[in-house]
Amino acid sequence: MGVHIDITGLRPERIAVVISPLAELGMALHALSEPAHHPGLQAWVTGVTARLDPHLADRMCEADFLWRTTFSDLFLACAGVPGRTALPGGTLAEELDLLDKLSDEQFVAAALEFTCALPYDVPGRGPLTDEGLRRRSLELAAARGPRQMLFTERLLTDPPLTRAWLRQFLQDCDEAFFAEAWSRLRHQLAADARLKTDLLRHKGLGEALTSVSSAVTLDEAAGRISVDKLGDGRTTTGDGGLLLIPTSLGRPHLMVLHRHGWQPVLHYPVGSPAWAAPPTVEQLALRMTALSHPVRMRMCRHLARSAYTTGELAQVHGMTAPEISRHLGVLKKACLITTHRRGRYVLHQLDVTVVARLGSDFLEGILR
């Protein structure tokens, strides 16, 4: 499980850490649409929402599936420019010009990603040329709601009109709230990009990826980057490049663009206080499974209050010591309990900090 990027033959000069105003605008729209994902942005979201023009807010709802249901690759348009080596523009206007360079087929496929009907990391025809995919996209859009249906119909019927609508909408968002936010955020993002670039130059890709997230690993022997995420995906840099793009508004989302034929992108969060390294998806599954058993739940009630020996737990729960040991083994493998020796006794206790963090770890794991 996870997303894997084949970087065989990737030249160091083809790896770039760059900031992107368009990508950050996409994250801003997501935070405004899904504030529960971003409790640290509550004050900013409240302030923007309070002064937002009602007409712009209504337009924001019209196509919110581009940034709420999915993170549309349209906000990483540079990755789809032919040649697979383009960099984001220095300004939002330059990035919107890059968005205009995408073909209608690319634009429509990226916009309809929310329907989950189209090929993503494998080659395939799109709904503009495949009547079956067109019908399927419309069916799935209809299931999402009337706004999604109307947008999809307009998109499939007149892509240029929809593209012009989106460009104007993003420009209006920039004027209404994003330009002010970007004037503050871009300095922090540029500083992080410089730091990662220095790591790339002096310590190599592995160190740079480690500084991005503990969920990102490099297997140099296999020539592969792996990102620990729920879901599967594969892509390759081929004769193109690799982009690392930081976001200040994106935590906890760690996104990987792995669309077939596009340049791979790691879009990673920065700027929050140091958190404990998030558990892997496998660790998270182990912890959820370990706590789902009724006997282990009752054991945790005692272990949360004090340290107990195996014999004491066996007596309390009316079970044999080997039975208790097996349950303790499951909890220990999931890193939910600590064990220490006092003389000839081995004492076990619940790691309350880990358990207390489980809810946020689960949320981060499924949103990553």
Side-chain angles (χ1 to χ4, degrees), residues 102-225:
L102 299 183
S103 67
D104 283 348
E105 288 75 12
Q106 287 179 300
F107 185 91
V108 170
L112 291 181
E113 184 183 337
F114 77 98
T115 68
C116 303
L118 308 178
Y120 187 81
D121 56 5
V122 294
R125 298 173 65 191
L128 292 182
T129 55
D130 187 312
E131 185 59 34
L133 282 178
R134 183 187 185 92
R135 288 196 303 270
R136 182 63 175 154
S137 296
L138 288 169
E139 289 171 4
L140 293 175
R144 296 298 181 97
R147 286 181 179 269
Q148 286 85 344
M149 180 63 177
L150 289 172
F151 179 88
T152 303
E153 288 178 337
R154 187 168 71 243
L155 177 67
L156 291 170
T157 302
D158 194 346
L161 179 65
T162 308
R163 298 177 72 148
W165 180 94
L166 181 61
R167 180 172 183 131
Q168 186 60 57
F169 169 74
L170 296 176
Q171 289 172 332
D172 292 345
C173 287
D174 185 47
E175 183 178 345
F177 63 87
F178 182 68
E180 178 185 357
W182 181 248
S183 68
R184 295 181 290 102
L185 298 175
R186 63 186 180 88
H187 301 293
Q188 178 191 43
L189 295 176
D192 185 82
R194 288 193 297 270
L195 175 63
K196 299 292 192 294
T197 300
D198 285 342
L199 285 173
L200 273 170
R201 290 174 178 169
H202 299 113
K203 295 192 175 182
L205 180 59
E207 287 290 332
L209 293 177
T210 298
S211 71
V212 164
S213 170
S214 60
V216 184
T217 56
L218 171 66
D219 185 337
E220 292 189 76
R224 182 177 64 240
I225 296 171

Side-chain angles (χ1 to χ4, degrees), residues 237-256:
T237 53
D239 58 355
L242 172 68
L243 295 179
L244 280 63
I245 298 179
T247 168
S248 285
L249 302 177
R251 187 177 294 275
H253 308 295
L254 171 64
M255 292 169 289
V256 188

